Amino acid sequence: MSKRTIVSLPGDGIGRTVLEETIRVLDAAEFEADYVEGDIGWDFWRTEGNPLPQRTIDLLEKHKIALFGAITSKPKDEAFEELAPELQEKGLVYSSPIVGLRQHFNLDICLRPCRTYKGNPLNFIRRGPGGVIEEPEVDVAIFRQNTEGLYGGVEWSDPPEIVHEALMTHPKFVKNFGKTPKEELSVSTRIFTKKSTERILRAAFEHAKKYGYKSVTVCEKPNVIRETSGMMYKMAQQMQKADFPEIELWNTNIDAQMMWLTKNPENYGVIVAGNMFGDIVSDGFAGLIGGLGFACSAQYNPDSGIAVFEPTHGSAPKYADYETSIVNPIAMIESSCMMLDFIDENEIAKKIRKAVADVIAEGKVRTYDMQKMPGRADVIEKGAASTAEMADAIIAKL
Ligand code: NAI
Ligand code: MG
């Protein structure tokens, strides 16, 4: 079989370290690939005025599959000040390159799995009957609509007259906001389309079917947000009836779900939600299985097959310049396993996940987060494993 080409997008800060270590693990697991590095992130904003150069978009268009570390974003004023002097006259505005990738390739499906590793000291525990300590085994796959909803960017402060007039056609607007001066209004819209809602629901149901989950839970708020959440739940009911009768459809409200999260997380399988609620519920579940050092994700477009795999953490700039990197590479390594599953290299994915599980279960090699240490350069002296040592331990188990 010919070697695959994977686009590596290290980005900024610890994104670079965790991606490098992950490629070491992939090589050791005998995944045969060539990696081409794509330019993305803060340096390219500073020097070229564009954190996502066209050449990077072209690379992904060509090779389709990317591993992404993390990028640094900074507030508007700082972004401007750090821009090369000759670019400061050009009226450039910084926007996040990962959001840019999402939009350019319509990576509308975001999958964030959260699985408990036995022996992880960060696992959620609770008290059961008689005061016994229980450690529920979490295995959920959260499907988050990645391009619409409250993060769709359609918003105004002091909206244009025509928008205000349109709002004034709604009786509830007239009743609750009709007397508020226009310039005192900020409006963020929550737009769902049938097409994207259908795609995220189908992705969720198909995942449940493929991996044997018994239920799909729509986690929204259809009793209050009747139009958007309501549409999603109704479409889920129709889809379940027509195409997935063997899978149970559950319906939870986002607020209640965040409470049940710690009560009975082991009961949930696949969860599907719009953009913002998907973001919230996936962070909630990630907290039960170890947090940012463990939270992996995929973003993809089922039609084009273009997919980007990344840890959900950011570039953690405060750790970026440590002589020995201390951050946990597992979230990035797990993200690469999602990539392997996506391109049907399931055996290699299984092998790597088993090696990670073995290292965690053995408990000898733990990064600072797993030891609940405050993140500082001296954690290595205090017995925490470095990023590279964690990768070495995983490689040794392969
Ligand atoms: P962050 O995720 O970079 O770091 C928050 C804290 O989480 C860190 O200080 C550290 O204590 C912990 N942490 C993160 N990754 C870890 C790992 N692998 N192992 C152990 N501990 C880890 O979020 P923060 O500090 O809010 O943002 C830093 C920069 O990253 C910002 O510029 C932000 O815009 C960007 N960012 C980028 C994302 C992306 O590339 N997708 C996502 C989130 C933030
Ligand atoms: Mg988030």
Side-chain angles (χ1 to χ4, degrees), residues 130-142:
V132 295
I133 300 280
E134 297 174 339
E135 193 170 313
E137 201 172 322
V138 178
D139 178 3
V140 300
I142 293 134

Side-chain angles (χ1 to χ4, degrees), residues 360-376:
I360 295 173
E362 199 174 78
K364 282 194 204 145
V365 179
R366 288 176 171 169
T367 44
Y368 83 96
D369 54 319
M370 297 174 75
Q371 310 208 28
K372 301 178 188 169
M373 293 178 179
R376 285 198 307 254

Side-chain angles (χ1 to χ4, degrees), residues 382-395:
K382 292 184 175 152
S386 67
T387 311
E389 282 166 345
M390 177 55 92
D392 286 339
I394 292 166
I395 289 168

Side-chain angles (χ1 to χ4, degrees), residues 21 27 39 73 107 116 160 173 215 221 246 282 290 311 317 335 356:
E21 296 301 333
D27 287 343
D39 297 336
S73 289
L107 306 176
T116 303
F173 185 86
S215 65
K221 186 104 182 169
E246 71 284 11
S282 61
S335 304
V356 172

Side-chain angles (χ1 to χ4, degrees), residues 6-82:
I6 305 292
V7 180
S8 81
L9 304 170
D12 302 309
I14 65 162
R16 308 195 70 84
T17 336
V18 292
L19 184 47
E20 191 184 318
E21 296 301 333
T22 296
I23 291 175
R24 226 157 49 79
V25 171
L26 288 168
D27 287 343
E30 292 172 339
F31 172 54
E32 301 219 347
D34 291 319
Y35 297 89
V36 287
E37 186 167 326
D39 297 336
I40 190 167
W42 198 250
D43 282 345
F44 302 96
W45 162 252
R46 283 194 313 108
T47 55
E48 299 177 24
N50 184 1
L52 178 61
Q54 182 61 39
R55 57 185 182 279
T56 304
I57 292 178
D58 294 343
L59 263 188
L60 193 50
E61 181 86 56
K62 183 165 173 210
H63 302 295
K64 296 203 162 21
I65 304 290
L67 286 172
F68 170 64
I71 48 90
T72 296
S73 289
K74 297 186 188 179
K76 213 163 135 188
D77 294 348
E78 260 177 84
F80 180 78
E81 276 161 28
E82 292 193 26

Side-chain angles (χ1 to χ4, degrees), residues 253-330:
N253 288 335
I254 176 69
D255 48 345
Q257 180 70 68
M258 295 313 284
M259 180 184 62
W260 291 330
L261 205 63
T262 51
K263 206 166 157 246
N264 58 342
E266 67 273 43
N267 291 4
Y268 296 93
V270 172
I271 292 185
V272 58
N275 206 339
M276 185 189 196
F277 295 164
D279 196 11
I280 294 173
V281 75
S282 61
D283 272 14
F285 271 102
L288 305 177
I289 57 121
L292 287 176
F294 293 85
C296 53
S297 79
Q299 317 188 44
Y300 60 93
N301 179 326
D303 297 334
S304 66
I306 292 179
V308 177
F309 301 86
E310 55 161 323
T312 60
H313 64 73
S315 61
K318 65 180 173 188
Y319 307 141
D321 298 326
Y322 285 7
E323 207 166 306
T324 306
S325 171
I326 64 165
V327 294
N328 190 346
I330 290 177

